[in-house]
Amino acid sequence: MHFFQYKDNELYCEQVPVSDIARDVGTPFFLYSEATLTRHFQAFDSGFAGMPHLTCFAVKSCSNLAILNLFGRMGGGADIVSGGELFRALNAGIPADSIIYSGVGKTEKEIREALEAGILMFNIESPQELDRVQRVALELDAVAPIGFRVNPDVDPKTHSYISTGLAKNKFGIPVEDALQEYRRARDMKGVVIRGVSCHIGSQLTRIDPFVEALRKLKDFITRLEAEGIRVSYLDLGGGVGITYDNEQPPHPHDYAMAIKDELGDLDCTLILEPGRVIVGNAGILVTEVQYTKVNTGGSEDKHFVIVDAAMNDLTRPSLYGAYHDITPVRKTGAAEETVDIVGPICETGDFMARDRKLPKVEQGDLLAIMSSGAYGFTMASNYNSRTRAAEVLVRGDRYFVIRSREDYQDLVKGETIPEVG
Ligand code: LLP
């Protein structure tokens, strides 16, 4: 349930007509609804009410300071995967001791920064990383709180690029090897064992892979306990999937129930790292039609709608073949036609949708690319030297530009031409 709705054939975000914002801010821009963000965070978090838990929002899905700050004020922590995300989370006011650090490639510098900040836990993904974390901790005269990300070898049944919990994926440590790493960590001075984690993939539309992974983790915790190693945090990774088209993902409450049932009386604080389920349907990308054209000469005429958003703004359709619903900001009642909605970038792979039925649009019309709140702006680039879009947040009948559109100076920031000779 989100707060992007039509009134008199005009798309509104909460109480603000989307076209008013486009007029003031220009296009393309990402538009988020604060009421939707709040509702989704609470819907997820409240499912775990009554159990000790911490919802650490996955910063990679949507990292604007205003949005991180909103979740922080609701008691959320952060799941980070880089020094940059640590910087964002801290700047947004998220307490360091609610920050979890995941990822297979943490550098020394990043580890140092996280240790100095005092984060809750590093999720360690390899034996070499354990050695590095312990070395940096000793150098700083600190003790690093750690858990290991175990790879439970569970098929999450999602797109192969975002499936992470299979033995063949680069993530985590196989359960078999993890025991040995916990033993090693127990005997180290620079680290203290806090937890165990896993993350099997993103955009999951079924509950059973989560339950299967949890079952394997529970068995593993029992084996740890048999060795006298106690963990107090159990991190289950990302959240459930969302509806882009006609997927029917589990409701977050059903997910929470299934986890509760499987957990039984395990005495651990749960950590959840949802991203998409909270922000995905709380944001849209608004774009303006620049041209329409028909290419004839093939076996059939091809209708193109060329918009001012491109694969550098929203890369999901190009990268994963992902589906995003696209709808006119003003409904005109025009007859539908089948079109490719494409951007200005010089690649055939630059499309928002292909062979899509859309009411006939004209130059200057606005389109809303739905479900763009997660992995939208955060995956944007400057390809084709395009400035990155603005981000706007609506609160009731007001809106705030929470990130201004980049300008040309931003494009060349840090570049220099060496003197000739
Ligand atoms: N925790 C870890 C360790 C992760 O790697 C991820 C996502 C999450 C949590 C959040 O998962 P979520 O709740 O959002 O499913 N760019 C892709 C998605 C990549 C997901 C990467 N990891 C896309 O646009 O679909």
Side-chain angles (χ1 to χ4, degrees):
M1 161 77 208
H2 59 69
F3 296 97
F4 295 97
Q5 267 136 12
Y6 284 95
K7 280 181 219 161
D8 298 329
N9 294 321
E10 264 290 322
L11 184 64
Y12 278 67
C13 177
E14 301 184 20
Q15 288 140 49
V16 184
V18 172
S19 54
D20 283 5
I21 305 174
R23 186 194 55 220
D24 298 348
V25 173
T27 52
F29 63 96
F30 285 87
L31 179 60
Y32 308 97
S33 148
E34 189 175 88
T36 312
L37 293 164
T38 305
R39 186 190 174 104
H40 287 179
F41 185 91
Q42 282 165 351
F44 188 90
D45 194 58
S46 65
F48 295 92
M51 312 169 69
H53 76 281
L54 181 62
T55 298
C56 291
F57 176 67
V59 174
K60 66 173 80 65
S61 63
C62 185
S63 58
N64 187 287
L65 291 180
I67 291 175
L68 299 181
N69 173 265
L70 175 70
F71 297 145
R73 281 186 278 127
M74 286 192 275
D79 157 51
I80 61 160
V81 292
S82 69
E85 288 190 352
L86 174 66
F87 176 81
R88 282 183 176 280
L90 294 174
N91 268 279
I94 298 198
D97 62 2
S98 303
I99 296 177
I100 295 289
Y101 195 163
S102 313
V104 294
K106 305 174 191 82
T107 64
E108 275 198 22
K109 176 173 178 283
E110 289 173 322
I111 293 167
R112 196 171 308 119
E113 288 163 359
L115 272 171
E116 281 168 350
I119 64 163
L120 176 59
M121 184 163 77
F122 290 88
N123 284 334
I124 297 208
E125 304 219 19
S126 65
Q128 288 184 1
E129 186 189 331
L130 174 62
D131 294 334
R132 181 177 275 184
V133 168
Q134 114 121 340
R135 187 160 37 75
V136 177
L138 289 177
E139 274 166 25
L140 293 178
D141 212 5
V143 179
I146 63 144
F148 289 92
R149 174 169 174 178
V150 297
N151 184 325
D153 195 20
V154 169
D155 185 356
K157 304 194 171 66
T158 182
H159 192 289
S160 66
Y161 286 11
I162 53 176
S163 156
T164 51
L166 284 167
K168 64 178 179 187
N169 302 137
K170 70 179 175 186
F171 297 98
I173 300 180
V175 177
E176 296 320 311
D177 304 342
L179 197 55
Q180 173 57 20
E181 291 310 307
Y182 273 93
R183 288 189 192 120
R184 259 184 0 108
R186 179 183 47 193
D187 299 333
M188 284 179 172
K189 278 213 180 63
V191 301
V192 56
I193 295 171
R194 282 228 170 126
V196 61
S197 76
C198 77
H199 167 75
I200 56 173
S202 192
Q203 182 54 11
L204 269 68
T205 51
R206 297 166 52 162
I207 292 184
D208 43 320
F210 285 114
V211 173
E212 194 187 333
L214 175 54
R215 195 169 300 144
K216 290 193 174 179
L217 254 66
K218 263 179 63 180
D219 284 353
F220 182 67
I221 291 175
T222 312
R223 285 164 69 191
L224 286 177
E225 278 171 355
E227 303 234 353
I229 300 173
R230 156 122 185 87
V231 293
S232 41
Y233 290 94
L234 173 53
D235 178 348
L236 289 178
V240 292
I242 63 169
T243 303
Y244 286 98
D245 187 7
N246 46 28
E247 306 91 335
Q248 293 183 314
H251 188 278
H253 273 202
D254 296 333
Y255 165 72
M257 271 314 157
I259 299 297
K260 253 185 205 176
D261 283 352
E262 184 59 38
L263 263 186
D265 53 8
L266 194 75
D267 181 21
C268 272
T269 298
L270 261 190
I271 293 177
L272 296 315
E273 302 173 349
R276 191 188 317 262
V277 66
I278 294 178
V279 291
N281 281 324
I284 65 176
L285 173 60
V286 182
T287 181
E288 189 192 78
V289 175
Q290 302 300 305
Y291 304 98
T292 60
K293 72 172 184 177
V294 187
N295 281 5
T296 57
S299 53
E300 56 191 53
D301 291 355
K302 200 76 199 156
H303 291 251
F304 291 97
V305 173
I306 301 163
V307 296
D308 63 2
M311 65 190 283
N312 74 297
D313 300 301
L314 180 70
T315 189
R316 303 192 71 258
S318 307
L319 191 56
Y320 313 114
Y323 179 97
H324 284 257
D325 189 22
I326 300 182
T327 178
V329 166
R330 182 169 295 132
K331 282 189 174 164
T332 58
E336 283 188 341
E337 52 182 12
T338 301
V339 297
D340 280 12
I341 300 160
V342 300
I345 285 182
C346 306
E347 296 198 23
T348 301
D350 177 28
F351 57 86
M352 298 289 128
R354 281 175 148 170
D355 295 323
R356 184 70 63 84
K357 282 207 159 60
L358 188 74
K360 192 171 168 47
V361 291
E362 290 172 10
Q363 257 184 326
D365 285 354
L366 297 171
L367 295 176
I369 305 176
M370 306 304 286
S371 313
S372 301
Y375 308 106
F377 186 86
T378 54
M379 294 178 76
S381 76
N382 292 118
Y383 187 39
N384 275 210
S385 286
R386 287 168 51 81
T387 53
R388 281 184 297 171
E391 290 180 289
V392 180
L393 178 74
V394 166
R395 176 185 300 156
D397 58 4
R398 291 184 294 161
Y399 73 83
F400 308 87
V401 175
I402 56 173
R403 183 181 166 108
S404 53
R405 186 179 309 288
E406 286 179 340
D407 61 24
Y408 295 149
Q409 284 307 323
D410 294 323
L411 286 180
V412 293
K413 178 166 179 267
E415 293 184 22
T416 49
I417 302 173
E419 261 175 51
V420 180

